[in-house]
Amino acid sequence: MKVPPRVQRALPLLLLIVFVVVAHACGSEGKYKLTSSGSTLRFSGPDAVAVIEKEPFRLSLLDSSGKLLADENASALGWTTAGGRVTLGNVTDVHHSGGSLRLDVQSGDATSTVSVSWRTERTLSVQLTPPDAARDSVTDFVDAYKLVPDEVIYGLSERVSPPPSEPTAPGLPPLSELQPQNAGSLNRRGEVVDMFVQPTMALYTPFYQSSNGYGLYVEGYTPGQFDVGVADKNVLSFHFETGTKDETKKLTYDLFAGPSYGAILDEYTAITGRPFVPPDWAFTNWRWRDELPLGQTDSAEGVEMNAWVADDINNYDKYGIPPGVYMIDRPWSPGDFGFDRFEWDPARLPNAEQMLNKLNELGYHLAVWTSLWAVGGAPGDNGTEAVADNYLAPGSDRVIDLTNPEAWTWWEAKQIDFVTTWDIAALKLDRGEEMIPSETTDIWADGETGREVHNQYVNLQLHLMYEAMLKARGSDFVVISRAGYAGAQQYGIFWGGDSPGSTVLGQGPGTDLGLRNAIISLQRAGFMGFPIWGSDTGGYYQFKDRDVFARWLEFSAFTPLMEIGGKGTHAPWDMPTSPQLDSEMIAIYKRCVQIHQDLVAYTSKYAKIAGKTGLPVARALAIAFPDDPKVRDMWDEFMYGDDLLVAPVWQTGQRSRDVYLPAGRWQDFFDSSKTYQGPTTITVDTPLASIPAFVKAGAQPIATPKAK
């Protein structure tokens, strides 16, 4: 047969492709090796080894040198039915293909399947599939791993020190958030952590990292719980509910083998999604007020506008505070809830177009509050449309059913039109974890129950907003969200909910514990794969102590997201304390904003690294110095990027503090003539206008001299 000339020309390329494919397949086969010795299987890869005991089934993970990283507890893997607990027995058959094993395992009178596969050279995927006859009767899956002495467990949730299974009222956060305690740290040992997203400190992920050199991530969205050494101080156990879909009738989790926390985050975010990297302007300061007053106006730059917006514009100009992002919080639309439709309320925000143009002229980027709530009962209101078209979640009077593609498209179009019309650069996504129909009797549009949708919903809403902004503005946007589950990091950045500057929804006394918890939450978020995080500076509820505001400003200056606002003014020229016009606080405010602005290039550099690897911008000392046992649970200091150590002051009245400097040579960030050789602990004077910060010797310039 004659071969056409074009095929002849293509033959060398075709042969090369075949060679590469075959070589890759052979390489994959040769990369992973299975050996058997008695009742033990060793399933080895280049960087880690899975050891499987067959009588009964038990799994361990070792690094390539043979160090034991993770050791499953005996007879731990299994499930629960109405009839009780079922655990796995002996392995009866082994099927091996390349980087995958399929094991037949006795489970009662039937046979289950456990798949053990190398997703990468350092990530091992484990999947348990019950027998067909038992699958629909399983209520939840269970497993457990041993804890070794002094092992530290990081991650799981943002909120600090929640009591086990703390009850909440609908729409309200747990009491421990409203009235924080002087408890909790980076280490989760001794805690029970529910995987059920609750407002308002609402970052959760079924993913933890161990100081023993491994990480574990349970895939899926169904509710679960981690018991980190409570029922048994030597065991970390977890259980997760089943659902209605095939993938929720199996347990799938991934084990990550070090060699570092950063390497584990790299593997984890490769699976769940690389973090979103915002444009540089998102790293300037964000200014906002909660609930702008109705009917009060003033003039700024010749434009009559809402009095509080004018107050911010005028005082930023008066005191030489650099502009950044200006955020219009709820309510900004007509209606009782202030979000009935996508238009400005002329009674609250008169001359909206001129006001927004003026903010733009002055160098501000515009951010606007939003939510996935369709409310309002008048003609043309979002709520009226949603009810007419059956777009609301089951039994809800406001939550949009995002499992309905038509509802998704409807809301996305509204969001795109609003953003495009008014040149809105950022969205503040709020309240998405509140009032979600979450019972098994709540059947959503795609057939899932409320239990299956609850944790998933916070990611669905963020994904929608991400897509809307991407279509409206290309890459020049950011969405900040207070809620997120595993994978949410690919769609936006995050703030830490309603951090309290005073207790009991602002009605109680002032507290410095909200700031304490924010310092911890920043680092927890980093371990969880959320690398860009900030908090309500001063606390969402009006602070009642000027120390709290000053110290929070100093802390926020060294976090990726610096947003200043909440209930009350949060303004140094209009303080709730005496003097009302506080010249010392004005100087602190201006200086902290300037530091943050002058760190933009530095912050952006590490945000881009985070976008490729998951490594957080602000990271616990344990991440930066994993071989130093002293920093394993040291939460009151952190690294900002590779080169800057920050030691915030959080206690009211504190005017000095001890600072631990790890190995290396350090110089004072604000006075380079002061140098120290670590490891060492020094005592630093901390007057109200100061925050201890130190730079690694030899580092490139971090910020301009103006900031310092």
Side-chain angles (χ1 to χ4, degrees), residues 517-558:
N517 287 359
I519 296 168
I520 296 172
S521 293
L522 168 71
Q523 298 169 76
R524 282 195 182 178
F527 274 113
M528 294 163 61
F530 301 107
I532 300 176
W533 186 95
S535 58
D536 289 341
T537 302
Y540 172 68
Y541 306 109
Q542 177 68 68
F543 59 86
K544 297 178 181 178
D545 190 301
R546 66 197 295 269
D547 265 35
V548 169
F549 192 36
R551 296 308 192 187
W552 215 316
L553 283 164
E554 291 156 7
F555 164 66
S556 289
F558 294 98

Side-chain angles (χ1 to χ4, degrees), residues 12-342:
L13 178 59
L14 291 171
L15 290 171
L16 177 60
I17 292 171
V18 170
F19 173 78
V20 170
V21 170
V22 171
H24 181 268
C26 292
S28 177
E29 292 284 341
K31 187 186 293 185
Y32 302 103
K33 184 178 180 181
L34 179 65
T35 59
S36 178
S37 176
S39 64
T40 301
L41 300 175
R42 289 180 63 88
F43 192 26
S44 305
D47 295 324
V49 179
V51 176
I52 299 167
E53 298 294 337
K54 296 194 294 182
E55 297 178 358
F57 173 88
R58 186 168 66 87
L59 176 70
S60 300
L61 182 69
L62 286 66
D63 68 13
S64 56
S65 70
K67 177 190 173 185
L68 180 62
L69 306 178
D71 192 15
E72 194 176 28
N73 210 33
S75 301
L77 181 59
W79 60 84
T80 302
T81 69
R85 175 83 173 267
V86 177
T87 57
L88 299 188
N90 294 347
V91 176
T92 58
D93 204 357
V94 178
H95 310 271
H96 174 219
S97 177
S100 298
L101 293 180
R102 192 181 82 250
L103 309 173
D104 296 333
V105 188
Q106 291 176 336
S107 47
D109 296 329
T111 300
S112 301
T113 300
V114 178
S115 297
V116 179
S117 305
W118 290 106
R119 295 186 67 151
T120 73
E121 296 179 359
R122 289 189 287 108
T123 299
L124 186 74
S125 179
V126 180
Q127 185 175 86
L128 168 62
T129 304
D132 289 342
R135 197 168 303 175
D136 291 337
S137 65
V138 176
T139 57
D140 61 341
F141 292 103
V142 294
D143 204 354
Y145 279 80
K146 296 176 183 177
L147 291 167
V148 299
D150 301 323
E151 184 177 2
V152 179
I153 300 298
Y154 305 103
L156 296 177
S157 69
E158 165 191 43
R159 181 182 284 110
V160 179
S161 65
S165 303
E166 184 178 11
T168 59
L172 288 177
L175 182 61
S176 62
E177 179 176 316
L178 302 176
Q179 195 158 342
Q181 305 300 308
N182 192 351
S185 67
L186 300 180
N187 190 5
R188 308 311 304 268
R189 283 191 79 157
E191 295 185 45
V192 173
V193 185
D194 288 332
M195 284 294 114
F196 191 79
V197 178
Q198 297 184 53
T200 65
M201 297 173 182
L203 288 183
Y204 290 75
T205 180
F207 165 57
Y208 69 83
Q209 297 194 61
S210 163
S211 62
N212 208 43
Y214 80 98
L216 187 149
Y217 163 54
V218 180
E219 298 189 20
Y221 294 101
T222 57
Q225 187 183 81
F226 288 87
D227 180 319
V228 192
V230 174
D232 183 333
K233 68 178 182 180
N234 298 314
V235 175
L236 187 160
S237 63
F238 57 87
H239 65 85
F240 281 82
E241 295 177 14
T242 57
T244 59
K245 294 191 172 182
D246 285 344
E247 60 266 28
T248 64
K249 295 179 183 295
K250 305 173 184 178
L251 172 66
T252 304
Y253 66 86
D254 302 298
L255 288 166
F256 308 104
S260 66
Y261 301 114
I264 292 170
L265 284 166
D266 189 10
E267 296 286 309
Y268 167 75
T269 57
I271 292 172
T272 58
R274 295 301 191 188
F276 175 80
V277 181
D280 285 2
W281 54 258
F283 301 123
T284 62
N285 82 99
W286 295 50
R287 177 67 184 158
W288 65 287
R289 307 277 192 111
D290 186 75
E291 297 188 19
L292 296 173
L294 186 66
Q296 298 179 29
T297 65
D298 203 348
S299 178
E301 298 282 327
V303 176
E304 195 75 11
M305 62 181 72
N306 183 279
W308 284 8
V309 179
D311 185 61
D312 286 333
I313 291 173
N314 290 333
N315 281 289
Y316 262 52
D317 179 63
K318 178 179 179 179
Y319 296 113
I321 300 168
V325 178
Y326 199 86
M327 185 161 64
I328 307 293
D329 205 76
R330 183 194 66 82
W332 49 261
S333 171
D336 292 338
F337 185 73
F339 188 51
D340 283 2
R341 47 193 179 271
F342 285 94

Side-chain angles (χ1 to χ4, degrees), residues 666-686:
W666 302 84
Q667 66 183 35
D668 191 295
F669 177 67
F670 300 102
D671 184 354
S672 59
S673 68
K674 297 179 180 178
T675 61
Y676 308 89
Q677 184 64 47
T680 186
T681 299
I682 61 174
T683 300
V684 181
D685 291 332
T686 56

